[in-house]
Every structure is written in C-alpha cells, then in structure tokens.
C-alpha cells in the first residue's frame, strides 16, 4: 500500500466534500418541501391526485442522469428558454443539478410522506374536527406533525440515496467528491485506491446522516420509549 | 403539426431518422440490464446465504459487502470496474506474455458493476424473504424426512419466490435505471445513444425526451410483467383457499 498516495488522494477528495454536502442539503431541503406539498395535494383534490400520480410516474420511471441531461442540455434548445430571466440559472450546471435532484427526490419523497399521511389515525382527525379546527389548522397542528414523524425513518433512507445521487452531478462537470475521483483515476489509473478513499468519505457521510436521523427520531418519539424508573 | 412531423422524421426509421440506432440502443439497455440483474441474482443468493449462515466469517464478509456497496455511489463502483478492470486485465495480459493495453468492454463492465450493486440489494430482499417463511413449514418438511436439496427445491425456493418477488421487482427497476450510468464507459445503450444524437443534430431536447419516453416504456412494461408474475406466484394459495 502506498500511503503517501492514499493521503494525498484523501486530501484532494476532502476538498470536494463541501460541494457534495451543499448539493445534498439544498436539494433535500427543496425536495422535502415539494414532497410535502405534492403529498398533501394528492390527498386533498382529485385533479391534484392525477397530477401528482403522473409526476411521480414520470420521475420514478426514468434515470436521474437523464433528468439532469434533459434540464442541462435539453432546455437550451428553445430560444424562449435562452431569452428568459431563468437562463442565467439554467445554463449553470450547478443549478441544473440542484433542480434535477430536487424534482427527483420530491417524487420519491412524496410517496414516503403519503405513507405517513395514511398512517394518521382517523380518531385524531375526528377529534381535531370535533374541536372545530379548520382544514388548514388541522393539517398544521395534527395531521402533518403525525405524518412527518411517521415518515422520518424512511426519509432518512431517501437522504442517504440523495448523498449518493449527487455523484451524478460530476457528469455535468461539477467537481464534487466523485468528480475529483474521476479526475484522479483517469490521471493515475489507480482505481482501487481512489475508490477506497472516496468510498470511505461517502460511508462516513451516510453513517452520520443515519445517526442524526435516528437521534431526531428518538427525540420526537418519547411515547415509544420504555418508562424509566 | 410541422413540429410533430419533424420529430417523427428525426426519430423514425427513414433515411435521416435515428430509429434503428435507438432500437439497437434499447435492445442493448435491455440486455445489459438483464445480464446485470442475473449476475446480481448470483451475488444476492451468495450474499443471502452468507448472511444467514452460522459462520462468523461468511457473515462478516457479506455484511461488509452490503454495507459498503449500499453506502457508496453506483458511479464510483462503475469507475472501479472500468478503470480497475483494465488495470487487472493488462497485468493478466502481461503475465501471459501479451503486451500492450487490455481492457474490459463497456458491456462487461456494466454487467459486473451493476450486478455487484444490485446483488447487495438482492441479498437483503432474499434474506428478508427467507426469514418470512413460517418456521413450521420448515419443521414440517424436516419431519417428513426431506433432504436439504429437496427442501430447497420444494419448500424454500417457492416460498422465497413468493415473498421476495415484490422486492425483486423493485431491484429490477433500479437496475434498469442504473444501466443509464454505464453510458460513461461509452457503451451505446439508450443514454449514450441519445447523447450522441443530441450532440450531432443540435436538437438535444427532442432526443432527451425520446430517451425519457423509452425508459418510461421499459419501466412500465417490465413493472407490469412483475405484477403479473406476482399474481402467478399466488395461484397455489388461491387454489388452496
């Protein structure tokens, strides 16, 4: 084992960690907000249900890489896109990657949140209605908190998947951990060593995320803990 | 209307159309995915066997396998096999006296890399399916004096198929979508082919939308096939009821 090379590679790869984390955090934040909106839309209206089902069908039925390319390369074909005020964003790989990642995770996330919404006990909703809550207040105070608490563990998996998905941003030239890995491998042809370094970075990030999600889950489910005496 | 005619000419089978290339690319996507899925089934079966075995070593190895592979981006696994594979092949070539550069082709890299990744997921699906078999059924099989192989064929196999098929269907969809990543090796499957088409005709949107529709068609049709197969595994139970 060439420890100098490993150390050197590790330092180079660590420089890409902030971008990987940034891509993950921004797209998970946007995606989760969208996911909740989509799931509620699906629950409250018939046309909304059809729209969300179609959206989820399209986004889950195609590869993420294709979605990134469609946004990054595809949209530029149209003059009206190139002349719109969004073009300064849409021509940058960074924003295209974030847009594609957010739309993609929103589709998977909305299914997770939908499961959470379905798990809200009918009694809780009846009680809220009996107390005279409006629909909005009921969603805010009763339904969403219960649904999101139920959905959190599954959402943790989705976050881990997102960390891994950000590696695709390297194909549209972003130099996050995978992009740097590719550059080092194609320069040195030492695939195994670089894989070990990059892999351990991803494993550590994912381990920390699962731990953090488990800690939050523990905090918000005091009713499930055994009574301490 | 003109737009539609232009589009159909572009992706059609005419002299200026890309139809044949796209058809071949679709066929490649299906075959590379199917081979990777089958390779994954082999890895997954071995993995599940290791995870369920009493041997500490087998358990440790398979546990490391699923943890690492499921925690690392698939793209990195593909790079490992693509670049690492050619390094190993070149070394092997030198050992047998051949000089120069040897590499794995994109198809083999794809089958191996996606196979290893999907194998990690299939390990968990198969393990879960095995654990879902009621203990009594296995005891009953043992009580009537079945040998291990007979029990595997008559009891465990069908039950794992029945409990595992929904999960296996999910893994198949995942493999189909992951096959798009093999395009980085230059293999002309759908993703690569539409990228080439987009570049040489300067009509990227038309091509990417075509790819979008092709993948949607593949995932929808194969999803339906898996649902149909799930119904088929339920037949004996319905008959018994």
């Amino acid at each position: 084992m060439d420890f100098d090379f490993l150390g050197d590679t590790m330092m180079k790869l660590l420089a890409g960690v902030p971008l990987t984390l940034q891509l993950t955090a921004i797209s998970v934040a946007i995606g989760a907000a969208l996911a909740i909106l989509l799931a509620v839309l699906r629950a409250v209206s018939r046309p909304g249900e059809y729209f969300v089902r179609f959206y989820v069908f399209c986004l889950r039925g195609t590869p993420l890489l294709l979605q990134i390319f469609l946004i990054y390369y595809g949209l530029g074909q149209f003059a009206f896109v190139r002349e719109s005020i969004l073009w300064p964003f849409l021509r940058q790989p960074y924003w295209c990657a974030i847009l594609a990642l957010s739309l993609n995770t929103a589709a998977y996330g909305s299914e997770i949140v939908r499961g959470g919404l379905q798990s809200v006990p009918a009694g809780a909703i009846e009680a809220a209605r009996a107390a005279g809550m409006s629909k909005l207040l009921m969603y805010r105070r009763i339904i969403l908190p219960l649904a999101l608490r139920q959905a959190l563990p599954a959402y943790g998996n989705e976050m881990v998947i997102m960390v891994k998905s950000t590696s695709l941003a390297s194909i549209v030239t972003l130099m996050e951990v995978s992009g740097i890995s590719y550059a080092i491998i194609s320069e040195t042809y030492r695939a195994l060593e670089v894989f070990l370094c990059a892999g351990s970075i991803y494993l550590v990030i994912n381990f920390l995320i699962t731990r953090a999600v488990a800690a939050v889950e523990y905090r918000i489910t005091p009713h499930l803990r055994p009574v301490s005496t | 209307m003109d737009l539609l005619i232009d589009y159909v000419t572009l992706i059609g089978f005419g002299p200026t159309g890309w139809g044949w290339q796209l058809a071949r690319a679709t066929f490649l996507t299906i075959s590379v995915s199917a081979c990777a899925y089958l390779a994954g089934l082999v890895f997954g079966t071995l993995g599940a066997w290791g995870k369920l075995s009493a041997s500490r070593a087998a358990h440790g190895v398979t546990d490391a396998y699923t943890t690492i592979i499921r925690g690392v981006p698939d793209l990195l696994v593909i790079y490992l096999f693509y670049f690492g594979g050619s390094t190993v092949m070149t070394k092997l070539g030198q050992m047998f006296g051949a000089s120069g550069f040897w590499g794995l082709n994109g198809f083999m890299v794809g089958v191996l890399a996606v196979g290893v990744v999907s194998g990690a997921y299939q390990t968990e699906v198969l393990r879960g399916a095995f654990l879902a078999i009621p203990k009594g059924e296995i005891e009953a099989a043992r009580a009537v004096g079945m040998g291990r192989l007979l029990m595997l064929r008559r009891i465990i196999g069908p039950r794992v198929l029945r409990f595992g098929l929904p999960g296996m269907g999910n893994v198949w969809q995942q493999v189909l979508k992951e096959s798009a990543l093999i395009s980085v090796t230059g293999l002309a499957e759908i993703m690569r082919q539409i990228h080439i088409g987009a570049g040489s005709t300067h009509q990227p949107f038309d091509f990417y939308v075509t790819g979008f529709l092709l993948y949607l068609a593949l995932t929808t049709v194969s999803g339906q096939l898996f649902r149909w197969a799930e119904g088929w595994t339920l037949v004996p139970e319905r008959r018994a009821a």
Side-chain angles (χ1 to χ4, degrees):
Chain A
M1 273 274 156
D2 181 351
F3 283 104
D4 283 347
F5 179 74
L6 283 180
D8 194 40
T9 303
M10 203 65 182
M11 291 316 289
K12 282 187 194 154
L13 289 178
L14 282 175
V17 171
L19 185 55
T20 292
L21 292 179
Q22 214 178 70
L23 288 169
T24 311
I26 298 179
S27 42
V28 164
I30 300 176
L34 268 178
I36 296 172
L37 267 177
L38 287 171
V40 171
L41 186 63
R42 180 169 178 165
V44 295
S45 89
R46 201 26 98 73
E49 188 196 329
Y50 290 133
F51 168 74
V52 175
R53 278 170 72 162
F54 181 70
Y55 177 84
V56 170
F57 168 72
C58 286
L59 275 279
R60 290 207 308 181
T62 52
L64 174 60
L65 185 61
L66 181 66
Q67 293 159 14
I68 296 179
F69 277 21
L70 185 63
I71 292 173
Y72 182 54
Y73 295 111
L75 289 182
Q77 180 179 332
F78 301 109
F80 71 86
V81 177
R82 289 197 303 269
E83 282 150 17
S84 75
I85 48 163
L86 288 174
W87 185 238
F89 291 102
L90 287 177
R91 72 169 186 214
Q92 288 177 37
Y94 180 78
W95 291 108
C96 286
I98 285 192
L99 183 60
L101 287 167
S102 309
L103 293 178
N104 182 272
T105 183
Y108 289 91
S110 80
E111 289 292 290
I112 298 174
V113 176
R114 182 169 72 100
L117 286 177
Q118 283 172 345
S119 77
V120 176
I125 298 174
E126 274 167 20
R129 213 174 274 151
M133 283 192 187
S134 70
K135 203 151 192 180
L136 202 68
L137 190 66
M138 189 163 76
Y139 260 95
R140 186 159 65 82
R141 286 226 187 120
I142 312 292
I143 300 180
L144 279 180
L146 287 174
L148 294 182
R149 180 170 70 189
Q150 185 70 28
L152 185 70
Y155 220 98
N157 289 341
E158 179 59 24
M159 286 180 203
V160 169
I161 292 174
M162 282 305 285
V163 171
K164 298 197 286 167
S165 299
T166 59
S167 68
L168 298 192
S170 67
I171 298 183
V172 287
T173 71
L174 291 178
M175 291 309 263
E176 38 67 75
V177 177
S178 297
I180 300 175
S181 309
Y182 179 77
I184 302 177
I185 295 177
S186 50
E187 207 174 284
T188 62
Y189 262 77
R190 296 168 85 162
L192 185 63
E193 284 104 322
V194 179
F195 178 80
L196 284 177
C197 293
S200 49
I201 291 178
Y202 280 106
L203 280 178
V204 168
I205 295 176
N206 287 336
F207 176 76
L208 292 178
I209 288 180
T210 40
R211 272 297 123 110
V213 170
V216 173
E217 196 194 331
Y218 179 80
R219 251 192 92 87
I220 61 177
T221 51
H223 61 294
L224 295 179
R225 283 176 231 159
V227 184
S228 57
T229 45
Chain B
M1 202 58 214
D2 279 355
L3 273 176
L4 190 67
I5 292 172
D6 284 351
Y7 176 69
V8 171
T9 322
L10 185 68
I11 64 155
F13 293 93
T16 55
W18 286 72
W20 290 113
Q21 280 98 320
L22 291 172
R24 207 181 48 209
T26 308
F27 177 72
L28 250 181
T29 286
I30 296 173
S31 39
V32 80
S33 307
C35 291
Y37 188 69
L38 289 178
L41 188 60
V42 174
F43 293 126
T45 310
L46 288 175
W49 173 69
K51 275 210 164 180
L52 293 165
S53 88
S55 144
R56 256 249 175 81
H59 193 85
V61 169
T62 45
D63 217 28
Y65 165 55
T66 54
T67 310
I68 292 172
I69 292 296
R70 294 193 306 161
V72 169
D74 315 328
L75 192 60
L76 282 181
V77 181
I78 291 177
Y79 288 157
L80 176 69
F81 279 90
Y82 186 45
F83 292 100
S86 55
T87 312
V88 171
M89 290 294 284
T90 307
K91 289 246 168 75
L92 274 178
Q94 281 162 357
M95 256 162 60
F96 290 101
S99 61
F101 180 83
W102 290 72
L104 290 173
N105 69 23
F107 193 90
M108 278 150 71
V109 170
V111 169
L112 275 175
V114 177
V116 164
V117 172
S118 77
Y121 291 93
Q122 296 192 37
T123 297
E124 300 297 349
V125 172
L126 293 175
R127 189 179 67 101
F130 179 83
L131 292 176
I133 302 175
K135 262 212 171 74
E137 293 186 17
I138 303 210
E139 278 166 16
R142 219 171 267 154
V144 295
M146 280 193 191
R148 284 169 67 106
L149 265 180
L150 189 65
M151 192 159 77
L152 188 70
R153 184 159 65 82
R154 287 230 183 118
I155 311 294
I156 297 175
R159 296 308 266 165
V160 165
L161 193 66
R162 150 91 179 76
F163 294 130
L165 205 54
M168 294 302 271
N170 288 342
V171 177
W172 164 252
Q173 302 275 352
Q174 212 180 325
V175 166
L176 208 50
K177 287 182 271 170
E178 251 169 47
S179 75
L181 298 187
I182 305 170
S183 62
V184 299
T185 68
L187 182 74
E189 40 67 79
I190 296 178
M191 189 71 216
R192 182 77 199 151
Q193 192 62 58
I194 58 171
H195 197 56
I196 295 169
S200 59
T201 60
H202 296 293
Q203 281 170 307
F205 190 79
D206 297 27
F207 271 96
Y208 288 119
V209 164
T210 310
F212 200 86
L213 296 176
L214 282 174
Y215 278 111
L216 264 190
L218 286 181
T219 47
T220 310
V221 170
S222 56
Q224 199 55 49
L225 289 178
F226 266 97
R227 258 192 298 283
W228 175 76
E230 268 167 46
W232 177 70
T233 59
L234 290 173
V235 167
E237 272 162 58
R238 255 188 264 123
R239 209 183 285 143

